[in-house]
Amino acid sequence: MKQRAAVLGTGQTHHAAKRTDVSMAGLLREAIDRAMTDARVGWDDIDAVVIGKAPDLFEGVMMPELYLADALGATGKPLLRVHTAGSVGGSTSIVAASLVQSGEHRRVLTVAYEKQSESNAMWALSIPIPFNMPVGAGAGGYFAPHVRSYIRRSGAPEAVGAMVAAKDRRNGSLNPYAHLQQADLTVEQVQASQMLWDPIRYDETCPSSDGACAMVIGDEASGDAAADGVAWIHATSMRTEPTTFAGRDQVNPQAGRDAATQLWHDAGITDPLSEVDAAEIYVPFSWFEPMWLENLGFMPEGEGWKLTESGETALDGQLPVNPSGGVLCTNPIGASGMLRMSEAAKQVMGKAGDYQVDGARKAVGHAYGGGSQYFALWLVGAEKPE
Amino acid sequence: MTTEAPPLSEPLEIHFDYTRSLGPVLGRFMTGLAQRRIEGVTGSDGRVHVPPVEYDPVTAAPLSEFVEVDQEGTVLTWSWCAEPVAGQPIQRPFAWALIRLDGADTALLHAVDVEAPDAIHTGMRVRVRWTDEPVGHIRDIAYFVPADAPDDQPPPPTSPAPPAAERADGTSVDTMITPIKLGYDHTVSPEESRYLRALGEGKLIGQRCPKCEKVYLPPRGACPTDGVPTTTEVELPDTGIVTTFCIVNVPFLGQQITPPYVVAYILLDGADIAFLHLVRGCEADEVRMGMRVRAQWRPREEWETSMRNIAHFEPSGEADAPYESYAHHL
């Protein structure tokens, strides 16, 4: 039986296109120091460290756990690295939680990062493979055909993608850590921005960011002892599927549906839309908001866009989605998943500042990676789980 | 008995100049090197770390107490590099050594220029040889020599200095460029090799799963759904449909096709999985989901064992496939 666990504190960097003022170690410590301050713990309180980062070619560091051990305070402690492509920040959080839920450790520090400015992710994602057509064109090139399929399948109006982008940028302007600060970006401006990977426009695309995110996860006694509230972990789930196989649903992948089904079951949730107060969902291209609303079971298949179009995913809507601004505002790929998990935690801890969802008691954090083949989810709450 | 030709293999070489932000500690170290000074940092236990570390190995606290150390030191241990590879500091046999500089408590890894393994030993005294034009890089220390080596000793062959990041005069070093080059031999499976050799003869050969009967092109040798070997080969026509697509308008590093171009999932007639290829022969905004297409092959004399033998797919002019006929392939 799992032990109870809680997020004791969160921290993140000020995200930007280039953080040339810090080394990778310094970038991580900016997030770690904030998380440890928030959790009111010192290095002696940390029993183990779990780190995640984006695929190695993205920044050319193969074994960060080796050279970063000093900076992570891991001397004399277990140090693990997790790797699941773009979902890594989500799965890293879940691995860290499991080390507490298993009873193995009392407090675990977890951190995820990426310094995109040191490399070129578009190049790294488009390496021509011998014998094949050189048609790779980055993440946008990969996902754009599936976005087109979603639009065709659902009959969603063209403006929905732009509405997501304008909404997330507005939210991001309330978040002092967010990379893009575009409070006044309008739906019309998004629709007028350059078409990069038709049907995905420039303003519907996430930025390239340098940044890191960290959390301290503790056991029940640590959570009980925290003075100003923690985020109790009610359920976690992960699922995987191959990138391609005949009959694969690339718009609404089975692995994502299965991960969500398990999450709601384990968290005792029967109607996610009415029971969840806020969602931090991995949306690197705007159309993934309605796509994942369906995949996660918030809306029936083909109807996710209706929630977006009606304004119900805005900060004051029925289900605020990405109140922090999400991946569309901040995208240090290796950290983007952990930012979703920690932003969900901040909502139920009441620490989300200007983008706090009023009365948030339960929030979901979500990350996906690869060709929509890795999924990581957690549900956190202000109250202890049953 | 026939012997099957070996699997096909092709080299794949990738390289990138990563730009490392050094941060306050390594930045100061590199800035010192540009001025032919070697600075270490004092840790919480009083040890002087050279090269400096940004965070204390004992307490994890950030470190900032710098101290200059000597340019002469002691070999703690070493190994012989009999066959230097490109980019290593000395381009003839040399020793790698862990060197503790006088005033430091930790060791620095660098090259020592000695003629043979019997000319170096643990405990030997060595000193720095600087490069002629230091730029703020660990390679400003060209290599070490025995402490008693004459100053007029002819220099060994060295490799060109790595690229240095631009900086204004008088500013500190904040970025280091680290070029990375990776060479692979990309070898494909026996099944994919047969498929590629068939492509070299203008044929498209897939495989059918004996259980679910789905046809895969390229063939995989095993069905990803059922986990069983796929042995039945199926020749497919070079006609099919576009299931979905995108128009690439964005230029990027390493791009081989000039934008704009249409990248489409092509589902060949008789296949159960689509693959990515180019669609040309019409305006990009005329490409549609369900559009019928046929392969446009390169001239036969240009064929190799590659999907590139098909230059692109182009509209066949037939009526579009109804959405329901391919909806389950999206």
Side-chain angles (χ1 to χ4, degrees), chain A residues 197-230:
Chain A
W197 303 272
D198 192 330
I200 298 176
R201 292 182 182 276
Y202 176 80
D203 280 333
E204 296 177 306
T205 303
C206 56
S208 293
S209 313
D210 286 358
C213 180
M215 291 187 286
V216 180
I217 296 174
D219 63 359
E220 184 169 8
S222 305
D224 286 338
D228 54 352
V230 298

Side-chain angles (χ1 to χ4, degrees), chain A residues 25-38:
Chain A
L27 188 76
L28 268 68
R29 279 297 288 271
E30 194 174 309
I32 289 170
D33 291 351
R34 287 188 179 128
M36 289 176 63
T37 300
D38 189 38

Side-chain angles (χ1 to χ4, degrees), chain A residues 365-379:
Chain A
H366 161 270
Y368 85 99
S372 298
Q373 64 197 113
Y374 301 110
F375 293 87
L377 284 159
W378 82 8
L379 188 114

Side-chain angles (χ1 to χ4, degrees), chain B residues 218-278:
Chain B
R220 306 205 183 170
C223 174
T225 302
D226 297 305
V228 296
T230 47
T231 50
T232 311
E233 294 193 339
V234 185
E235 183 170 351
L236 295 172
D238 64 358
T239 56
I241 63 164
V242 169
T243 59
T244 187
F245 64 97
C246 83
I247 306 167
V248 179
N249 291 314
V250 57
F252 58 89
L253 178 69
Q255 193 169 34
Q256 296 191 1
I257 305 163
T258 307
Y261 54 94
V262 177
V263 176
Y265 280 97
I266 307 292
L267 182 69
L268 293 181
D269 296 327
D272 290 291
I273 191 163
F275 56 84
L276 286 171
H277 215 294
L278 292 175

Side-chain angles (χ1 to χ4, degrees), chain A residues 15 57 74 79 91 131-132 164 174 178 182 239 242 244 247 259 290 292 308-309 319 329 335 355 373 376 380:
Chain A
H15 311 286
L57 217 51
L79 171 59
S91 50
F131 308 116
N132 285 278
V164 173
L174 303 172
Q182 299 179 320
R239 287 291 188 283
T244 61
W292 294 145
T308 302
E309 191 188 41
L319 178 71
C329 290
Y355 56 96
Q373 64 197 113
V380 287

Side-chain angles (χ1 to χ4, degrees), chain A residues 4-274:
Chain A
R4 289 194 176 108
V7 178
L8 305 179
T10 70
Q12 60 186 286
T13 55
H14 285 283
H15 311 286
K18 291 177 189 285
R19 285 295 308 271
T20 50
D21 57 317
V22 285
S23 64
M24 275 186 198
L27 188 76
L28 268 68
R29 279 297 288 271
E30 194 174 309
I32 289 170
D33 291 351
R34 287 188 179 128
M36 289 176 63
T37 300
D38 189 38
R40 301 182 189 183
V41 297
W43 287 109
D44 289 346
D45 300 314
I46 301 296
D47 302 319
V49 183
V50 184
I51 184 173
K53 69 175 278 288
D56 299 335
L57 217 51
F58 284 20
E59 64 209 345
V61 175
M62 283 185 62
M63 291 184 281
E65 64 278 13
L66 293 186
Y67 96 96
L68 290 171
D70 298 353
L72 300 177
T75 307
K77 295 171 186 173
L79 171 59
L80 287 179
R81 180 196 175 184
V82 180
H83 190 172
T84 59
S87 77
V88 65
S91 50
T92 303
S93 309
I94 291 173
V95 169
S98 72
L99 293 177
V100 175
Q101 291 169 324
S102 68
E104 181 70 18
H105 296 300
R106 287 199 60 196
R107 289 183 208 84
V108 174
L109 169 68
T110 186
V111 62
Y113 78 100
E114 181 165 5
K115 220 156 173 305
Q116 287 220 52
S117 68
E118 301 202 359
S119 175
N120 182 325
M122 183 95 184
W123 163 80
L125 280 169
S126 312
I127 303 291
I129 307 297
F131 308 116
N132 285 278
M133 284 299 290
V135 288
Y142 181 83
F143 290 118
H146 306 310
V147 166
R148 183 183 304 279
S149 297
Y150 172 75
I151 296 170
R152 173 66 182 81
R153 189 189 284 189
S154 67
E158 196 193 320
V160 167
M163 293 176 72
V164 173
K167 182 261 295 176
D168 282 3
R169 299 279 161 64
R170 191 164 60 242
N171 290 350
S173 72
L174 303 172
N175 175 359
Y177 294 105
H179 173 178
L180 296 184
Q181 298 283 334
Q182 299 179 320
D184 302 321
L185 186 71
T186 65
V187 171
E188 293 70 30
Q189 285 171 323
V190 176
Q191 287 179 303
S193 67
Q194 192 198 348
M195 193 64 94
L196 296 185
W197 303 272
D198 192 330
I200 298 176
R201 292 182 182 276
Y202 176 80
D203 280 333
E204 296 177 306
T205 303
C206 56
S208 293
S209 313
D210 286 358
C213 180
M215 291 187 286
V216 180
I217 296 174
D219 63 359
E220 184 169 8
S222 305
D224 286 338
D228 54 352
V230 298
W232 293 98
I233 298 168
H234 287 224
T236 65
S237 70
M238 289 193 279
R239 287 291 188 283
T240 309
E241 72 181 37
T243 321
T244 61
F245 57 90
R248 180 178 187 221
D249 190 335
Q250 308 230 55
V251 174
N252 191 5
Q254 181 76 40
R257 279 180 277 151
D258 291 350
T261 301
Q262 187 213 316
L263 186 84
W264 304 136
H265 173 268
D266 290 358
I269 283 178
T270 52
D271 179 12
L273 186 58
S274 65

